[in-house]
Amino acid sequence: MEHLVLRTQSPTILCLGAHSDDIEIGCGGTLLRILDTTPAASVWWVVFSGHDERAEEARRGAELFAGDRLAHFEVHDLQDGFFPEHFEEVKERFRSLDVSPDLVLTHRRKDAHQDHRMIGELTWQTFRDHLILEYEILKYDGDMGSPNVYVPLDEAYANNKVQYLADAFRSQRSKYWFEREVFLSLMTVRGVECKSRYAEAFYGSKLVLRG
Ligand SMILES: [Zn+2]
């Protein structure tokens, strides 16, 4: 297996999340790794639903994961669970994104959650000549699939990810799925699939290779 790398010296990574904590859960370890290995990389961070405490948590999460590489941060206040009813509003938010990223990390278009799914679909409608990788979120609905892009993570990245999640999202701690073991378990499974201790996995449904 050969490895793909971002060839741009100072890549811009656009992270899109329906809710406060989605980006961190879906691709937090990958971000930590990329920012560590690509010193000039910068991050745009967009969360579409976050009110009050959840908005503050979104900012805290972005700061923990992206640090001083956070070039842009925005959190909107769309109603959790009702994105399809506000399609025009969500689409308008996408239109206003004044960035041409080298890599877009977003929700999976086949995600069972309607808000996640819409963000995934609008990502593809908006970014027509960009590298898009769709991250996965483990949930009750049982929509895990077979991803085809893996980012191996060593223990430090995985442990920092779960620690930052716990630090940033205190309001979520009572949820049964917001557990260190849950996050580490999925990263362990994806690690087995790419011969690494841990990994995060993505769906890359279209890749253009330019040599
Ligand atoms: Zn979510």
Side-chain angles (χ1 to χ4, degrees):
M1 183 195 302
E2 193 45 82
H3 301 266
L4 292 173
V5 295
L6 289 171
R7 295 183 64 183
T8 311
Q9 293 217 326
S10 51
T12 299
I13 303 160
L14 172 62
C15 302
L16 301 169
H19 314 110
S20 166
D21 75 10
D22 284 333
I23 294 170
E24 295 87 341
I25 292 171
C27 59
T30 298
L31 273 175
L32 292 174
R33 177 176 167 161
I34 292 176
L35 294 176
D36 209 16
T37 56
T38 315
S42 61
V43 181
W44 272 53
W45 197 287
V46 181
V47 175
F48 291 85
S49 175
H51 300 265
D52 305 325
E53 183 185 17
R54 299 285 282 141
E56 288 174 27
E57 290 182 342
R59 176 170 284 283
R60 176 80 176 134
E63 289 172 350
L64 280 172
F65 279 86
D68 60 5
R69 319 282 277 288
L70 186 63
H72 178 88
F73 172 87
E74 58 186 88
V75 56
H76 301 287
D77 58 358
L78 289 157
Q79 189 179 0
D80 188 340
F82 289 82
F83 284 20
E85 281 73 16
H86 301 283
F87 177 81
E88 281 186 34
E89 200 178 343
V90 184
K91 179 133 184 158
E92 210 45 57
R93 300 279 156 80
F94 269 88
R95 277 194 180 152
S96 71
L97 292 172
D98 188 18
V99 62
S100 183
D102 299 283
L103 169 64
V104 185
L105 299 172
T106 190
H107 287 283
R108 187 183 172 204
R109 281 181 291 183
K110 290 184 178 174
D111 194 298
H113 193 296
Q114 65 275 18
D115 295 348
H116 294 181
R117 199 161 55 241
M118 176 174 281
I119 297 302
E121 289 169 355
L122 281 167
T123 301
W124 283 93
Q125 290 179 30
T126 306
F127 296 97
R128 308 295 290 176
D129 187 21
H130 300 78
L131 174 58
I132 296 173
L133 296 179
E134 303 171 7
Y135 57 75
E136 54 183 357
I137 303 273
L138 185 61
K139 64 178 75 62
Y140 171 80
D141 309 71
D143 61 355
M144 289 291 102
S146 299
N148 57 1
V149 178
Y150 291 84
V151 177
L153 300 172
D154 63 23
E155 286 197 59
Y157 293 130
N159 286 328
N160 282 340
K161 170 182 172 174
V162 295
Q163 187 59 54
Y164 291 166
L165 278 166
D167 290 346
F169 300 102
R170 292 168 190 269
S171 72
Q172 302 302 94
R173 284 181 174 180
S174 59
K175 294 191 171 167
Y176 76 94
W177 51 267
F178 200 91
E179 291 287 343
R180 174 183 176 84
E181 290 76 12
V182 171
F183 302 130
L184 287 174
S185 297
L186 182 57
M187 286 192 284
T188 302
V189 169
R190 297 316 186 196
V192 169
E193 293 173 344
C194 68
K195 290 194 172 180
S196 172
R197 179 71 183 88
Y198 295 108
E200 284 174 344
F202 301 85
Y203 295 81
S205 58
K206 182 190 287 187
L207 302 175
V208 181
L209 300 181
R210 296 190 173 98

